[in-house]
Amino acid sequence: MMHPSSSRARAIAAPAPVAIPVGALLPWAVFGLLLSVLMLYFVGAEQGAVSLISGHEVHEFVHDGRHLLGFPCH
Amino acid sequence: MMAAICWASPATKEQGFFLMIAGRLLARGMIAGCLAAALAFVFARFFGEPQVALAIAFEAARSAAEGATPEPEMISRSVQASYGLATATVLYGAGFGGLFALVFSFAYGRLSFQSPRVLALLLAVAGFVTVVLVPDLKYPPNPPAVGNPATLALRTETYFVMIALSICVAAIACLIGQKVTQMRDAWTGWLCGGAVFILLVALVQFGLPDVNEVPDGFPAVVLWRFREAALGMQVVLWGSMGLIFGALATPVLTGRTQRS
């Protein structure tokens, strides 16, 4: 008598989500953390309070983004 | 020996499978961050840049009144306001997109949310409050001409300390909220977690040094509009990142449940 639509049937039958084990997450976490922090560093702090590359080009190029994204700029 | 191989084989296969899922989620998080950043850039271009221009005009008028020679322009204003702003926003979006995907990968299946879309949106709201709203309440974004260059090192340090402490406070509140949820119910858990978060944020913000470096005569309306635009840009970025990542992560995760 009842013909549940396929999407509805799948929603009910969907099994509980399985957690990704920490062991499988760890290598990606190290890689992702390093990459993300490096990108955020160049937007937020390079050639401002700290400077790895001499000059002001990086600071000047990301200047407006640094202000609008809330980092102290100068 | 044979038994050992038979035991090891499914386990390593399973491990490799989860490794692939985690990697795909990380990549899709960064893609979602980049797409969200493109939307945030459009918002900032229309609402943020006019205020930046007004602040720079104030700065120029002030230095002209003092008789100082204007600073040489290394990179033109139009490049700063277009390619520069776009690059900075996309780097920021990709960076936080990656971190967001890692937090999501850990939370999925560990918090009591079945739908990847709901979990992604909820984590995006939590990320916005923790990484942007709470730090900005103490150290709001400042337009050019606001802020003394001599205190830049101190301001940068306190700003990043504020973000780090905000993340710690959110983690503590989350753990306490989950503990209470297991002992009582979800409603009490959310209330306790929220109360702990507000209390600890208030303590941290009370303890950190104040910064008050708005120059005399700086138009209050420009400062307010600039801060509105900066916060609006972050709402666009985090909101769309949560929605886009939810849509991108669902096929990755439902593919997994079908296989197992």
Side-chain angles (χ1 to χ4, degrees), chain B residues 65-213:
Chain B
E66 286 169 356
T69 47
E71 284 178 42
E73 231 180 40
M74 238 179 305
I75 289 167
S76 76
R77 282 294 309 140
S78 66
V79 171
Q80 284 184 341
S82 54
Y83 297 111
L85 177 63
T87 308
T89 312
V90 167
L91 278 176
Y92 185 90
F96 273 119
L99 297 177
F100 176 75
L102 291 173
V103 173
F104 176 92
S105 306
F106 182 75
Y108 184 72
R110 288 186 174 86
L111 296 180
S112 53
F113 297 97
Q114 301 272 332
S115 157
R117 282 201 181 94
V118 173
L119 180 63
L121 193 58
L122 198 97
L123 285 179
V125 172
F128 168 75
V129 169
T130 306
V131 182
V132 177
L133 188 62
V134 164
D136 281 6
L137 287 177
K138 178 71 183 178
Y139 301 117
N142 279 325
V146 174
N148 176 7
T151 62
L152 177 65
L154 176 79
R155 279 183 289 126
T156 305
E157 196 184 306
T158 50
Y159 182 65
F160 281 106
V161 166
M162 179 71 240
I163 294 178
L165 287 175
S166 181
I167 292 171
C168 294
V169 163
I172 292 168
C174 194
L175 287 176
I176 290 176
Q178 220 192 2
K179 206 87 205 139
V180 174
T181 301
Q182 283 162 4
M183 284 178 350
R184 296 283 186 84
D185 55 294
W187 174 257
T188 322
W190 278 95
L191 280 185
C192 285
V196 167
F197 184 72
I198 291 171
L199 189 76
L200 291 180
V201 162
L203 278 176
V204 164
Q205 296 201 339
F206 186 75
L208 283 170
D210 270 326
V211 173
N212 183 12
E213 297 180 351

Side-chain angles (χ1 to χ4, degrees), chain A residues 31-64:
Chain A
F31 171 71
L33 205 67
L34 277 176
L35 195 63
S36 301
V37 166
L38 192 72
M39 289 195 277
L40 293 174
Y41 167 78
F42 270 95
V43 178
E46 170 66 9
Q47 290 179 356
V50 265
S51 209
L52 292 180
I53 306 166
S54 65
H56 299 281
E57 284 81 5
V58 175
H59 174 108
E60 289 291 312
F61 189 60
V62 298
H63 172 271
D64 288 23

Side-chain angles (χ1 to χ4, degrees), chain A residues 5 7 10 17-18 23 27-28 33 39 48 58 60-61 64 66 70 73:
Chain A
S5 68
S7 68
R10 237 186 290 134
V18 185
W28 290 114
L33 205 67
M39 289 195 277
V58 175
E60 289 291 312
F61 189 60
D64 288 23
R66 193 171 286 187
C73 193

